[in-house]
Amino acid sequence: MSFETLRLDGVSRSFGGHEALAGLDLTIKRGEFIALLGPSGCGKSTALNCLAGLLPLTRGSIWQDGARLDVLPPERRGFGMVFQNYALFPHLSVRKNIAFGLQMRRVPRAEIRRRVDEALRLVHLEEHAGKLPGQLSGGQQQRVAIARAVVLEPALVLMDEPLSNLDAKLRLEMRTEIRRLHQSLGLTTVYVTHDQEEALSLADRLVVLRAGRVQQIGTPEQLHTEPANWHVADFMGYRNLLPLRAGPRDGTGIVVEFEGHRLTGTPVGDPAPGDEVIAGIRPEDLRIGPAGGPGVPAGSPGVAAGGPEVAAGSPEVPVGGAGVPATVEVVEYQGREVAVEARTDGGVALNLRTTDRPAIGDRITVSVEPRRLLVFPAGGAT
Amino acid sequence: MAARRAIVATPAAWLVWGVVVAFFVFLAGVIGSVVVSSFGTRWFDTWLPLGWTPDWYAQAWDEFTLLPVLIVTLEVSALVVGISVLIGVPAAYVLARRGFPGRRLLYLLFLLPILMPPITYGIPLATVLYKYGFAGHLSGVVLANLVPSVPFVILTMTPFIEQIDPAVERAARMCGAGTRQVFVRILAPLLVPGILAASILVLVRTVGMFELTFLTAGPDSQTLVVALYYSMSAAGIRAQQSIDAMAVIYTSMMLVLLVLALRFVNPTQLVARVRDDGD
Amino acid sequence: MSAIVGARPALRHRLAERGIDRQLLLLLPAALFVVTLFIYPFLYGVGLSFQPTRGGTLGAYREFFTDAYLRDTIFTTLRLSLPAALLNVLASVPIAYRMRGRFRAKRLLTTLLVVPITLGTVLTAQGLLNFLGPTGWFNRTLLSAGLVDAPVRLTNNYWGVFFSLVITGFPFAFLLVLSYLSGIDPSLERAAATLGAGRWQRFRRITLPLLAPGLATTFCLTFVLAFSVFPSAVLVGDPAGTTRVMSIAAYDAAYVRYDYPLASAVAVLMGLVELLVIAAVLGWRALLYTGSTAGGKG
């Protein structure tokens, strides 16, 4: 029952006038791990439920290798689904829960037994086979839910925020488990989450949604380093978003003015001079220099402001501009690095990550490489 | 859950809705025939009465001395509501908050009068009340009706109290409130909706409660429903239609109470001790 | 090991640890109340049933079982209450199943259903006498539709009481079943659907097993209500004959014949029969899964 491609064509779903999902176009290849990512209410769960057949489409269609899929009820689609609250049948044992789908398909009893045993081994729950779900911990219940979905070797596995109810440590462990399962079983998976870190680590491709609309589809690398608009950047961890006004173009870069300093950044989309723009910078891309000084000490990568020793930067990219002075306000210890919040003289808070150990009250200079200063049109979303 | 929501439902759906509609039509007929009859002049063998008159109501009012009966009904229900709340709420508080040896047994004990049909414990109860001289008077009726009402208040209030986070009381104590203040300023305001709900439910049930009042009432301590029964079982002496008029008065009273009750509680709570799920 | 501070904590503290302290006094009025007005009369009645004027300790019971007029009331009552309770519960299931989601008319429907319960058996009886009588609207409709040739006798017999039990009992059973059904996590059915279960299979393998304990409880409550039927049996039934139920026998004994021991004996027997039926149903229920109907820790 496997397919080569699954095509979503303009899939939309409205609830009483409100459009929860508007025109999702996506083609999924066999074996891919797709993550649907976005804040609450962005339509990702709606999209998943439409794929499962639990919600009818308001517009659009879904095609499985050229055969129309959205007219089939969920029991006929042959997809496996892992629900956010696991939805384990409380009156059936772990074994019977996993066997349920196989029984629905009238698989012979001996084969059911074999496949259930295999699934139990896969999720390391052999000793718990006879227990009821109520007797298991959250992590164990989650593994049963996964086993129940994958034992059918479905054409598509749908996962609706399966890790969101687990504690942090368990979440990391299960994330690796899911990755390992995908690598060994190769089942096409669509995974819904609001955690960008989770999505980045699990997916082959990500679909970022916002208010029902697709913002960007791409590989983790692409979304991490080349977000399509400032909403996606915001979601992908570009914690510094500065509303500015665009200046003139500077070769392939664009100039923006920030508190009297001229900074050069990389335009995304097509901001024209004079437009309102939002500049996005990842915390780890901001460089700290000592106050008043010529910026970063010689020998370090990246480009510092104004000093005579211009460190090795990419000669094709224009110099980033002067460093912005700021005062350190909050320092959070995070192991090898610290997260720093510093306030510029103009009162803007900047988030940085550094291996240095600045103290509260220190005066520093902050600068950034033009390649890592992304300038988006302020209108932003598609 | 079909991909296309069917506008034409399945035959099973038609059957189900058909049964529901039939039930309501039947119900409407049952109640309607009483109402129609009470307004009719003569009605023997025709679809509708030959003429219309409101005179039966005046007749019923006098014949069945409805004013005293209504007053008695109000007195009984007010007393029952008041006393059962007074006794029941503190008990519910202790049961909900504390565990102590014998708690489950006590809870079961409070459950019994509601589970048992009133006739079963009503006859021995009436016997005892007669023995001690309470029965035949208002006091007997009130006491008898309290038996299912106190447990009902306890059962209704317990989930209400359980819903109030005990940490709230502890937080009040940390802010320096003594027991009395915790009760008056924190608990009581939070409990008021629950008490209101319980009171309304007890009110509705008491006005409609037949068996217990029937067994313990004297001639001048009958509630409306008991008076209605007596007039019906002695039918043949009284005109059928004035009995119907009395029945309509009873129905209106109950419907008014029902509407009042539904402003505070979910319909399901009227019949079963099910927690309000905010449907 | 400490040897110096070895004294046991005061009795008051030890009791408080187990939950016994002054706050328990709040329970006292209610507990006293239940004891004096429920337990005591109950025990008094039971005791009375063993003190008949003649026939020794078991005289009242012997009288009951030797007198066919009395003995048959057990069967009569069961004949009315068991089918009525079964019908009420079983009919509720498909209807509640269809209504278990949220929809606009649900609140209206539940409100309307509460009406017959609130109005009570006396009013229902009066209405049925009118409606089901030989010249009432029901028979008229049947006659005009040509379904029968002569009016059907539905009052002052078994059927009148049966209808009364259904009118007041069905809404009660329905509301209970609906609330049990609503308590079953809806994602369980969705999960079953994604695993390939069709509508009937979802009902039979997931919903019904989780609903069954609730059905058993509903049946017990509905049965108890039906078993203690009294005013309907008198007003719209045949109290001297085919609908002479146990409550009528008890009432007769107490208020017509002033034979309190016999009345108490009948009341005790009523309780016993009910208890037997309930015990049987609850025994069956204990074999079922009665845990939480949620889908998981999510």
Side-chain angles (χ1 to χ4, degrees):
Chain A
M1 251 206 104
S2 194
F3 56 78
E4 283 303 318
T5 56
L6 189 69
R7 183 164 65 91
L8 286 88
D9 194 1
V11 167
S12 313
R13 166 79 192 167
S14 310
F15 292 102
H18 163 67
E19 222 178 10
L21 186 65
L24 172 62
D25 292 310
L26 177 68
T27 305
I28 305 176
K29 290 191 282 296
R30 183 156 67 110
E32 263 198 303
F33 195 117
I34 302 272
L36 298 180
L37 179 64
S40 306
C42 69
K44 51 193 198 294
S45 286
T46 310
L48 200 75
N49 282 306
C50 285
L51 259 179
L54 295 171
L55 283 177
L57 305 181
T58 316
R59 260 189 357 260
S61 49
I62 305 179
W63 300 83
Q64 183 175 341
D65 280 338
R68 186 99 186 242
L69 186 68
D70 51 295
V71 290
L72 290 178
E75 49 265 32
R76 301 248 299 280
R77 295 196 186 191
F79 296 162
M81 185 154 175
V82 180
F83 290 75
Q84 188 173 2
N85 73 337
Y86 318 140
L88 297 180
F89 306 128
H91 59 299
L92 298 178
S93 66
V94 166
R95 177 179 289 280
K96 291 214 188 96
N97 257 283
I98 300 178
F100 189 81
L102 296 169
Q103 286 170 341
M104 290 301 112
R105 291 209 188 153
R106 304 185 182 289
V107 172
R109 206 173 298 181
E111 183 167 339
I112 292 186
R113 204 179 175 80
R114 184 182 61 80
R115 286 169 73 167
V116 169
D117 283 336
E118 203 178 296
L120 285 167
R121 241 175 296 127
L122 205 59
V123 292
H124 312 298
L125 283 177
E126 299 99 305
E127 324 89 73
H128 303 283
K131 292 199 185 150
L132 291 177
Q135 299 169 293
L136 302 175
S137 72
Q140 290 168 331
Q141 287 181 353
Q142 212 258 5
R143 280 183 276 160
V144 176
I146 294 182
R148 187 177 66 176
V150 303
V151 76
L152 294 164
E153 284 159 21
L156 181 66
V157 177
L158 303 163
M159 297 203 184
D160 191 353
E161 302 201 49
L163 303 183
S164 58
N165 292 310
L166 301 175
D167 62 69
K169 177 167 173 289
L170 207 49
R171 211 179 300 161
L172 286 177
E173 286 174 13
M174 286 310 303
R175 200 205 291 178
T176 317
E177 274 300 299
I178 292 179
R179 186 76 189 147
R180 192 176 58 81
L181 276 173
H182 180 251
Q183 281 170 340
S184 64
L185 295 176
L187 297 171
T188 320
T189 308
V190 176
Y191 187 98
V192 163
T193 179
H194 60 266
D195 186 334
Q196 50 106 354
E197 213 182 282
E198 211 169 87
L200 288 175
S201 69
L202 287 172
D204 296 326
R205 271 196 303 157
L206 290 89
V207 177
V208 178
L209 292 158
R210 182 174 169 270
R213 303 196 126 73
V214 176
Q215 303 296 298
Q216 189 174 357
I217 302 180
T219 64
E221 180 89 43
Q222 286 170 328
L223 266 85
H224 184 91
T225 51
E226 296 162 20
N229 60 49
W230 72 265
H231 295 290
V232 178
D234 184 12
F235 201 77
M236 299 306 295
Y238 283 69
R239 285 189 70 188
N240 300 297
L241 294 167
L242 312 170
L244 303 169
R245 200 165 280 282
R249 288 300 180 106
D250 186 2
T252 52
I254 186 167
V255 173
V256 287
E257 188 175 309
F258 177 61
E259 294 188 358
H261 301 275
R262 281 176 46 115
L263 303 172
T264 309
T266 313
V268 178
D270 202 9
D275 283 353
E276 284 179 2
V277 292
I278 296 195
I281 314 163
R282 296 194 75 95
E284 49 268 30
D285 290 333
L286 283 172
R287 307 258 170 263
I288 293 190
V296 177
S300 24
V303 184
E309 331 80 80
V310 174
S314 168
E316 294 92 33
V317 176
V319 170
V324 177
T327 315
V328 172
E329 281 198 342
V330 183
V331 176
E332 286 174 43
Y333 176 77
Q334 310 221 315
R336 208 170 66 88
E337 292 183 316
V338 294
V340 174
E341 188 181 287
R343 202 164 286 276
T344 65
D345 294 339
V348 173
L350 294 174
N351 288 286
L352 310 99
R353 294 184 73 84
T354 175
T355 48
D356 297 340
R357 294 284 191 267
I360 300 181
D362 277 1
R363 291 283 295 169
I364 55 170
T365 335
V366 180
S367 59
V368 63
E369 212 182 310
R371 234 181 341 131
R372 297 312 308 150
L373 171 67
L374 300 178
V375 179
F376 303 98
T382 33
Chain B
M1 286 185 234
R4 295 271 175 274
R5 177 134 291 167
I7 301 178
V8 178
T10 64
W14 280 112
L15 186 64
V16 165
W17 285 110
V19 168
V20 175
V21 169
F23 181 82
F24 280 119
V25 167
F26 200 84
L27 187 64
V30 168
I31 302 179
S33 55
V34 176
V35 176
V36 166
S37 167
S38 71
F39 283 110
T41 49
R42 298 164 78 76
W43 192 16
F44 289 126
D45 202 6
T46 47
W47 274 100
L48 288 175
L50 296 173
W52 304 97
T53 168
D55 293 339
W56 294 113
Y57 285 88
Q59 182 169 340
W61 190 265
D62 294 325
E63 218 176 315
F64 303 116
T65 62
L66 285 185
L67 187 61
V69 170
L70 280 175
I71 293 179
V72 166
T73 312
L74 246 66
E75 282 176 341
V76 168
S77 18
L79 280 169
V80 170
V81 169
I83 300 178
S84 57
V85 165
L86 230 67
I87 299 182
V89 173
Y93 178 76
V94 177
L95 277 173
R97 281 273 184 266
R98 316 284 243 71
F100 52 88
R103 177 176 173 270
R104 303 207 73 179
L105 187 63
L106 204 60
Y107 199 72
L108 191 68
L109 204 68
F110 284 129
L111 204 65
L112 278 179
I114 304 189
L115 290 184
M116 285 183 72
I119 272 279
T120 321
Y121 64 85
I123 293 184
L125 178 63
T127 317
V128 167
L129 286 174
Y130 270 111
K131 186 158 168 253
Y132 290 104
F134 286 111
H137 308 291
L138 198 70
S139 52
V141 176
V142 170
L143 282 174
N145 275 292
L146 277 175
V147 174
S149 301
V150 169
F152 195 77
V153 168
I154 294 179
L155 242 51
T156 315
M157 289 302 298
T158 310
F160 247 102
I161 295 175
E162 278 169 1
Q163 262 175 14
I164 300 177
D165 191 350
V168 168
E169 291 171 53
R170 282 182 242 143
R173 285 192 191 278
M174 291 297 291
C175 292
T179 310
R180 197 161 167 276
Q181 285 173 310
V182 168
F183 186 78
V184 168
R185 301 192 60 169
I186 308 291
L187 273 182
L190 288 174
L191 285 178
V192 161
I195 296 181
L196 220 56
S199 308
I200 298 275
L201 292 176
V202 170
L203 180 64
V204 172
R205 287 175 66 121
T206 307
V207 174
M209 168 65 77
F210 172 72
E211 284 90 346
L212 289 177
T213 317
F214 177 65
L215 293 172
T216 52
D220 53 359
S221 45
Q222 290 176 2
T223 58
L224 188 57
V225 63
V226 174
L228 183 61
Y229 173 86
Y230 273 122
S231 64
M232 281 176 67
S233 51
I237 309 173
R238 309 252 190 250
Q240 179 66 21
Q241 276 132 317
S242 77
I243 299 179
D244 287 330
M246 187 181 179
V248 172
I249 295 178
Y250 168 76
T251 309
S252 324
M253 186 178 179
M254 287 305 284
L255 285 179
V256 164
L257 282 177
L258 184 64
V259 167
L260 183 66
L262 287 176
R263 285 182 137 303
F264 295 98
V265 298
N266 182 301
T268 318
Q269 287 177 295
L270 272 169
V271 297
R273 51 175 196 93
V274 177
R275 197 180 313 194
D276 184 1
D277 286 321
D279 214 329
Chain C
M1 293 303 172
S2 95
I4 304 167
V5 189
R8 292 176 77 199
L11 182 68
R12 190 161 64 86
H13 286 293
R14 271 183 285 137
L15 285 177
E17 231 169 86
R18 303 189 64 204
I20 304 175
D21 68 1
R22 251 194 328 215
Q23 236 184 30
L24 283 188
L25 285 176
L26 287 173
L27 263 180
L28 210 57
L32 224 68
F33 180 82
V34 167
V35 166
T36 51
L37 281 177
F38 183 72
I39 307 272
Y40 170 62
F42 186 74
L43 292 174
Y44 179 76
V46 173
L48 205 59
S49 71
F50 289 116
Q51 297 163 25
T53 43
R54 57 180 185 283
T57 358
L58 292 177
Y61 293 95
R62 203 175 300 125
E63 188 181 340
F64 182 89
F65 283 108
T66 48
D67 184 350
Y69 198 47
L70 287 170
R71 191 177 60 229
D72 289 344
T73 56
I74 299 185
F75 178 66
T76 312
T77 322
L78 282 174
R79 204 165 71 97
L80 267 174
S81 48
L82 279 174
L86 266 173
L87 178 66
N88 286 333
V89 173
L90 292 177
S92 304
V93 176
I95 302 178
Y97 189 67
R98 203 151 273 284
M99 293 195 191
R100 70 195 183 287
R102 291 169 161 272
F103 64 91
R104 268 184 315 222
K106 190 172 180 192
R107 176 102 183 185
L108 176 68
L109 209 73
T110 45
T111 311
L112 284 177
L113 278 175
V114 169
V115 168
I117 311 176
T118 339
L119 290 180
T121 40
V122 175
L123 183 79
T124 314
Q126 172 73 340
L128 283 173
L129 277 175
N130 263 331
F131 183 73
L132 291 179
T135 59
W137 287 339
F138 191 73
N139 270 311
R140 283 191 176 280
T141 322
L142 290 180
L143 281 169
S144 356
L147 291 168
V148 293
D149 294 321
V152 184
R153 273 220 70 203
L154 292 171
T155 51
N156 300 114
N157 62 5
Y158 176 89
W159 291 108
V161 186
F162 187 79
F163 278 119
S164 161
L165 287 177
V166 170
I167 293 185
T168 49
F170 172 75
F172 176 76
F174 176 80
L175 289 174
L176 273 181
V177 171
L178 188 63
S179 77
Y180 279 116
L181 211 49
S182 308
I184 299 178
D185 190 344
S187 66
L188 292 178
E189 272 192 62
R190 279 183 241 140
T194 60
L195 291 168
R199 215 195 190 128
W200 173 243
Q201 281 173 316
R202 292 200 290 268
F203 177 75
R204 196 170 69 82
R205 313 248 342 225
I206 308 296
T207 315
L208 198 56
L210 292 174
L211 183 63
L215 286 183
T217 311
T218 308
F219 177 80
C220 288
L221 291 174
T222 315
F223 169 73
V224 165
L225 276 182
F227 193 80
S228 54
V229 59
F230 179 63
S232 324
V234 173
L235 296 171
V236 90
D238 177 21
T242 51
T243 66
R244 188 178 163 79
V245 293
M246 290 185 84
S247 48
I248 296 182
Y251 178 78
D252 265 355
Y255 292 89
V256 174
R257 294 166 42 172
Y258 298 105
D259 188 350
Y260 293 104
L262 181 62
S264 307
V266 177
V268 167
L269 285 169
M270 265 182 89
L272 273 176
V273 175
E274 272 172 9
L275 219 64
L276 277 173
V277 173
I278 295 180
V281 174
L282 290 182
W284 170 75
R285 178 184 184 273
L287 298 170
L288 307 166
Y289 168 80
T290 52
S292 154
T293 54
K297 283 206 168 74

